[in-house]
Amino acid sequence: MTMTYTQTRAEGSSASHPDRGPVPDASLADIDDVSRVLDPDGTRVADAELDPWIRDLSPHELRALHRDMVLTRRLDAEGVALQRQGQLALWAPCRGQEAVQVGTAHALAPGDFVFPSYREHGVLLGRGAQPADYVLAWRGEEHSAYDHTTINAAPPQIIIGAQSLHATGWAMGAQRDGSTDVAVAYYGDGATSQGDVNEAMVFASSFRAPVVFVCSNNQWAISEPVTVQAKYPIAGRAPGFGIPSMRIDGNDALACVAAMRWALDRARRGEGPSFIEAVTYRMGPHTTSDDPTRYRDAGEVDAWAQRDPIARLEAYLRAEGMLDDSGLDEVARAADALAADVRAACIGATTRAPETMFDHVYAEPHSGIDRQKAEYVEYLAGFGK
């Protein structure tokens, strides 16, 4: 049954927490209280609301979904390795979240514009990012590693939830231009506690802005469990703003495609914003500076490993005769080639002089920036050679 929210859910029970007092029982965020079309073992199941949006997916498109998920995971593993080897200052792993990122990105039209957080490597891959685009900013070489106009993606946002306002503003501009293009804001469950996200939803609803809010509920906002962030399923909040929502299995790539197509269709027909809560799991640390073993149980991680999004789609494709060993070998080679290109782009980057960080801040000359640059050059000179 598709979980389309038109009103909030009934109140459930809660448990106590020694530091924070009453907090919701984990059952309120039940991972099976979601819409899906692929069970964790890859079995296809019917869903009256999601099925119409994915009936036209061809074997080629389904294999492309799988391929991009595998590439995203390999890219992610390379990013972690590069950081551990001192080549990157930081990396935000996305292992386990490939389905929601790749699935939603595959539903987009070329003119749509995405506003990602710092973890959406699969979304950027789906938008056509190049190897250097994933690492130069994390290496500290560029303000933003790519030209946003070439892939229709804003720079990854570090400030939690801020991109939701940017997406809504862009959508309102597109609306006034008479465009059918749609903005998409990606963020995690923790961001829903930020004022920016709620303010963005107020404006989006009031002006019927063509924007889709995609919340990747990966169960943890750094060390805070989602049951502290939300007493009830997060998808139930959106109707309070006048925004319809879906709560889907974020480890089911087909459900992610379907939900995103539903939301995009609403926006293009002038029906305003939609909200998607994709229930998934962050298999690794919040970032490479985090140690998740300090706050979560290994059994929980093992249980989610059984719901792996790539293995799920692979099992379905194999069962349907759409993917075999030779196809998997080809995808693995493509993934290794991407990882090698990313590594080469990272290690081969030319580090510019420190004072060049003041360049290109403004399109026109700016006396304040010129003064700051001169002061910084003088500061650096104080260290000698």
Side-chain angles (χ1 to χ4, degrees):
M1 179 180 68
T2 297
M3 309 306 297
T4 303
Y5 282 75
T6 55
Q7 59 185 5
T8 55
R9 298 272 169 168
E11 185 172 355
S13 61
S14 64
S16 66
H17 189 287
D19 299 322
R20 305 182 185 89
V23 296
D25 188 278
S27 63
L28 292 179
D30 187 351
I31 59 174
D32 284 320
D33 184 25
V34 294
S35 301
R36 63 168 63 97
V37 294
L38 288 182
D39 277 339
D41 65 358
T43 301
R44 182 71 163 87
V45 293
D47 186 286
E49 193 164 355
L50 292 179
D51 283 342
W53 296 106
I54 52 175
R55 283 185 183 137
D56 65 334
L57 285 178
S58 67
H60 172 76
E61 290 170 312
L62 291 169
R63 285 191 294 269
L65 274 173
H66 173 267
R67 179 182 184 277
D68 281 358
M69 289 167 65
V70 173
L71 263 61
T72 298
R73 180 164 294 184
R74 184 67 182 85
L75 160 69
D76 186 55
E78 196 64 27
V80 172
L82 286 166
Q83 193 282 328
R84 299 306 192 206
Q85 294 161 9
Q87 297 296 332
L88 299 180
L90 192 71
W91 184 261
C94 69
R95 183 180 179 88
Q97 299 181 217
E98 296 90 354
V100 58
Q101 295 186 7
V102 172
T104 56
H106 270 237
L108 298 171
D112 297 332
F113 205 102
V114 303
F115 293 80
S117 76
Y118 41 77
R119 201 182 305 281
E120 269 75 42
H121 312 308
V123 174
L124 296 180
L125 185 145
R127 299 306 278 170
Q130 298 303 301
D133 296 342
Y134 300 104
V135 289
L136 292 189
W138 293 110
R139 189 178 168 88
E141 304 290 358
E142 300 284 351
H143 291 301
S144 174
Y146 50 81
D147 179 355
H148 68 273
T149 63
T150 62
I151 64 173
N152 274 15
Q157 179 59 255
I158 299 297
I159 301 172
I160 305 298
Q163 68 273 24
S164 57
L165 286 170
H166 307 157
T168 298
W170 189 97
M172 291 170 64
Q175 182 185 58
R176 284 153 179 73
D177 289 342
S179 171
T180 59
D181 295 330
V182 180
V184 184
Y186 288 90
Y187 47 80
D189 48 288
T192 61
S193 294
Q194 294 289 332
D196 284 0
V197 170
N198 293 276
E199 291 160 13
M201 292 173 71
V202 168
F203 271 83
S205 177
S206 297
F207 291 94
R208 298 177 70 84
V211 57
V212 180
F213 300 103
V214 179
C215 174
S216 294
N217 178 358
N218 66 19
Q219 311 302 309
W220 291 95
I222 309 184
S223 60
E224 291 291 327
V226 69
T227 49
V228 174
Q229 296 287 339
K231 186 175 181 182
Y232 306 108
I234 295 172
R237 296 184 185 181
F241 295 93
I243 300 175
S245 65
M246 279 192 182
R247 189 172 197 254
I248 61 169
D249 188 332
N251 285 13
D252 176 357
L254 301 190
C256 293
V257 173
M260 191 58 146
R261 285 181 166 186
W262 161 78
L264 292 169
D265 179 70
R266 291 192 69 257
R268 296 195 209 285
R269 288 190 286 105
E271 295 186 6
S274 302
F275 185 97
I276 299 170
E277 179 192 356
V279 180
T280 182
Y281 195 78
R282 165 171 56 82
M283 295 300 296
H286 174 71
T287 69
T288 46
S289 65
D290 171 43
D291 179 7
T293 64
R294 298 180 63 184
Y295 55 80
R296 67 186 190 188
D297 184 80
E300 175 182 297
V301 180
D302 291 342
W304 275 95
Q306 305 307 310
R307 295 170 172 264
D308 184 83
I310 297 178
R312 182 183 307 199
L313 183 57
E314 182 179 316
Y316 170 70
L317 294 178
R318 277 185 174 274
E320 295 295 318
M322 300 182 199
L323 187 64
D324 56 20
D325 288 343
S326 64
L328 288 173
D329 290 342
E330 182 181 348
V331 170
R333 288 193 295 271
D336 286 343
L338 172 61
D341 289 344
V342 168
R343 174 170 286 272
C346 176
I347 296 176
T350 300
T351 300
R352 296 182 296 171
E355 62 269 21
T356 60
M357 69 178 177
F358 293 95
D359 297 344
H360 311 298
V361 175
Y362 289 95
E364 302 294 335
H366 191 289
S367 60
I369 287 292
D370 292 341
R371 183 177 66 255
Q372 291 175 39
K373 182 176 182 179
E375 292 172 352
Y376 187 57
V377 169
E378 185 177 355
Y379 166 78
L380 293 174
F383 291 96
K385 294 201 175 184

